């Protein structure tokens, strides 16, 4: 596992984070956020791009967030 600062795409529903994913930077995160918001039907859900320090695990070439904390 590696610790690094990344831009993460976070999905919140009812005030609780329900999903998170690694992105390739701000541009990639904002593009994914726009696509999700266009296809979302719920007013109680929110998507955001956040700079976080994360423990990253790589499995078969795909990065997964194991834990994270927000960077100011």
């Amino acid at each position: 596992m590696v610790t690094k600062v990344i831009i993460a795409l976070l999905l919140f529903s009812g005030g609780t984070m329900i999903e998170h994913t690694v992105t390739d930077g701000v541009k990639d995160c904002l593009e994914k956020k726009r696509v999700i918001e266009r296809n979302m039907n719920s007013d109680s859900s929110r998507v955001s791009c956040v700079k976080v320090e994360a423990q990253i695990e790589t499995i078969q070439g795909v990065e997964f967030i194991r834990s994270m904390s927000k960077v100011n």
Side-chain angles (χ1 to χ4, degrees):
M1 237 179 288
V2 178
T3 300
K4 60 183 175 178
V5 175
I6 61 165
I7 302 297
L9 179 64
L10 309 178
L11 175 61
F12 296 89
S13 181
T16 304
M17 184 176 58
I18 60 172
E19 185 70 37
H20 51 75
T21 188
V22 177
T23 63
D24 292 329
V26 176
K27 180 182 177 192
D28 181 50
C29 189
L30 292 174
E31 287 173 353
K32 290 177 179 177
K33 178 182 175 189
R34 279 191 292 275
V35 170
I36 292 168
E37 287 176 337
R38 278 189 216 127
N39 295 312
M40 218 171 12
N41 293 327
S42 176
D43 288 337
S44 65
S45 296
R46 183 175 58 91
V47 182
S48 62
C49 296
V50 180
K51 186 176 183 180
V52 297
E53 183 175 10
Q55 291 279 329
I56 304 293
E57 183 176 358
T58 304
I59 301 173
Q60 296 182 352
V62 179
E63 293 184 327
F64 295 94
I65 299 171
R66 292 297 170 214
S67 67
M68 65 183 162
S69 60
K70 188 172 180 181
V71 175
N72 291 331

